[in-house]
């Protein structure tokens, strides 16, 4: 008696130490019973009505010497959320029974301490707490500290979409969709909008339950940002006569360096020199980018301002600007934008007008010559034609609308 009390005391102290070390809550509090049987099985399992549930199970007895005749071992399942002592009401399965009263079958080899059980034709009423018991007279023990909570749901469980790695452009990520597979005999079929007929793989988890999985590796780009992955799991039920489906969606949020950087000018129409012009830098970037403005000078580009907008007082000289957009993933530069003032346009305007005048005079001469020639052609015209060479193409490029300043975009 003394030794028992001492053992209990030591147990309690150990438990308390564990509690204080790991700050565990009541969920992991020591079981108040002192059973001679333990099972290794999931604590909670979810299943789908109309389907089956495979319960991976392994047991061990304490002390081992009491459990000597493995061949005459009976496995028993007891159903009750409160009482795990066997009586005729709550014993739902006994491996010695010839008739099956409950749709259960121990598929594991009990002599190998394998109590793996298949629970089939589930209905939501089967939701309960179950205890495993071993009978091998004189050894009789219930694993009262290892309750198994089974929840049978009427609708299919949603699959899970998981993405490994950072959601950044150029990053290669593996996207997977997985569905719990309580009944590996009739697993769900997974489909998604990332590929046609994806190969379904059934994987065993560390707790010996199963998961059906599909996966695909993709290299991300900015076009994936905002894309919604939708994955559905279709479970066959009632011997495959019906199916139950559940869907999961996940929208990708992909970060990317600035794209499509450009500068727009307001007002875009005619502006006289000495007035303000607003430059706006536009770009797509995630996360949002910061903007800087640079002006071209003899010594190269010099920083002139920060921010999306930049106001410039149009002066007498031509000035080139560009903006640079930066976020954590990189930066992008817009093309140069030239602001040409009315004054600087004026000088070229004089040349343009002069050239225009010359062209008009040449055209008049040609016309006159042609007219005279055609008049004389009936009278066997033999005069030489004037030289038709003229800087037509050159003139068209230089010609400008008087009084305007213009903007030239140079692609670098
Ligand atoms: C299980 O079956 C065996 C053999 O028929 C029997 O001895 C035992 O009492 C049964 N156990 C329970 C809990 O019904
Ligand atoms: C237990 O038995 C099942 C058959 O129902 C088998 O699939 C499983 O691998 C066995 N487990 C171990 C640990 O041997
Ligand atoms: C499920 O349980 C309810 C009451 O708990 C009962 O009325 C119903 O008939 C049961 N359904 C089946 C299919 O056993
Ligand atoms: C713009 O510059 C001109 C001279 O180039 C100056 O007269 C004018 O006041 C400036 N405008 C503003 C709003 O500062
Ligand atoms: C430029 O923007 C400022 C405010 O940002 C505004 O007050 C001004 O009218 C704008 N000028 C032009 C020419 O658009």
């Amino acid at each position: 008696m003394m030794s028992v009390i001492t053992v209990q005391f030591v147990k309690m102290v150990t438990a308390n130490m564990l509690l204080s070390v790991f700050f565990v809550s009541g969920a992991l509090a020591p079981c108040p019973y002192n059973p001679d049987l333990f099972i290794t099985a999931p604590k909670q399992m979810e299943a789908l009505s109309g389907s089956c549930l495979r319960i991976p199970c392994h047991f061990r007895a304490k002390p081992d010497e009491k459990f000597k005749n493995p061949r005459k071992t009976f496995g028993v399942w007891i159903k009750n959320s409160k009482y795990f002592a066997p009586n005729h009401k709550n014993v739902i399965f006994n491996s010695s029974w010839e008739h099956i009263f409950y749709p259960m079958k121990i598929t594991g080899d009990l002599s190998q301490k394998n109590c793996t059980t298949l629970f089939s034709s589930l209905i939501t009423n089967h939701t309960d707490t179950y205890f495993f018991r071993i009978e091998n007279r004189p050894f009789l023990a219930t694993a009262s500290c290892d309750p198994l909570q089974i929840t049978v749901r009427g609708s299919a469980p949603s699959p899970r979409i998981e993405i490994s790695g950072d959601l950044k452009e150029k990053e290669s990520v593996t996207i997977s969709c997985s569905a719990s597979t309580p009944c590996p005999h009739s697993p769900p079929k997974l489909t998604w909008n990332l590929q046609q007929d994806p190969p379904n793989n059934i994987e065993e988890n560390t707790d010996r339950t199963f998961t059906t999985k599909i996966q695909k590796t993709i290299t991300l780009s900015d076009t994936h940002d905002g894309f919604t992955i939708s994955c559905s799991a279709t479970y066959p039920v009632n011997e495959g006569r019906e199916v139950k489906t559940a869907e999961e969606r996940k929208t990708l949020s992909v970060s990317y360096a600035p794209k499509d950087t450009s500068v727009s000018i307001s007002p875009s129409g005619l502006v006289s020199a000495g007035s303000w012009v607003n430059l706006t830098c536009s770009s797509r970037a995630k996360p949002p980018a910061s903007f800087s403005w640079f002006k071209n000078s003899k010594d190269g580009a010099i920083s002139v301002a920060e921010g999306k907008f930049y106001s410039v007082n149009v002066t007498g000289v031509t000035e080139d600007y560009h903006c640079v957009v930066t976020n954590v993933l990189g930066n992008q530069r817009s093309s140069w934008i030239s602001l040409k003032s009315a004054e600087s346009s004026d000088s070229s305007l004089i040349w343009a007008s002069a050239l225009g005048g010359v062209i008009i005079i040449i055209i008049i001469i040609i016309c006159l010559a042609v007219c005279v020639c055609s008049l004389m052609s009936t009278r066997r015209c033999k005069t030489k034609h004037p030289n038709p060479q003229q800087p037509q193409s050159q003139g068209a490029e230089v010609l400008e609308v008087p009084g305007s300043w213009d903007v030239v975009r140079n692609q670098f």
Side-chain angles (χ1 to χ4, degrees), residues 2 11 33 37 163 171 187 192 206 233 249 252 328 355 405:
M2 240 350 244
K11 266 189 179 172
Y33 314 106
L37 186 72
I163 301 160
E171 201 83 16
W192 62 3
T206 50
R249 285 163 174 269
L252 297 178
V328 287
L355 205 59
W405 59 272

Side-chain angles (χ1 to χ4, degrees), residues 74 76 86 91 94 96 135 137:
F74 301 120
V76 173
V91 171
N94 184 332
S96 80
E135 301 203 340
R137 289 184 191 278

Side-chain angles (χ1 to χ4, degrees), residues 1-10:
M1 197 60 200
M2 240 350 244
S3 67
V4 169
I5 289 167
T6 314
V7 167
Q8 293 282 23
F9 178 71
V10 170

Side-chain angles (χ1 to χ4, degrees), residues 243-311:
V243 292
K244 286 181 179 172
T245 300
E247 192 194 43
E248 174 75 355
R249 285 163 174 269
K250 199 166 201 167
T251 300
L252 297 178
S253 174
V254 179
S255 304
Y256 53 92
K259 305 259 177 283
D260 305 338
T261 302
S262 66
V263 174
S264 61
I265 304 143
S266 155
S268 55
L270 303 176
V271 166
S272 58
S275 62
W276 290 96
V277 161
N278 286 344
L279 302 181
T280 304
C281 188
S282 316
S283 190
R284 291 189 298 117
K286 196 168 185 168
S290 61
F291 301 86
S292 324
W293 291 94
F294 291 85
K295 180 175 168 177
N296 199 14
S297 74
K298 283 177 205 130
D299 308 322
I302 51 165
S303 172
V304 289
E306 299 289 321
K308 190 172 169 62
F309 307 101
Y310 180 48
S311 295

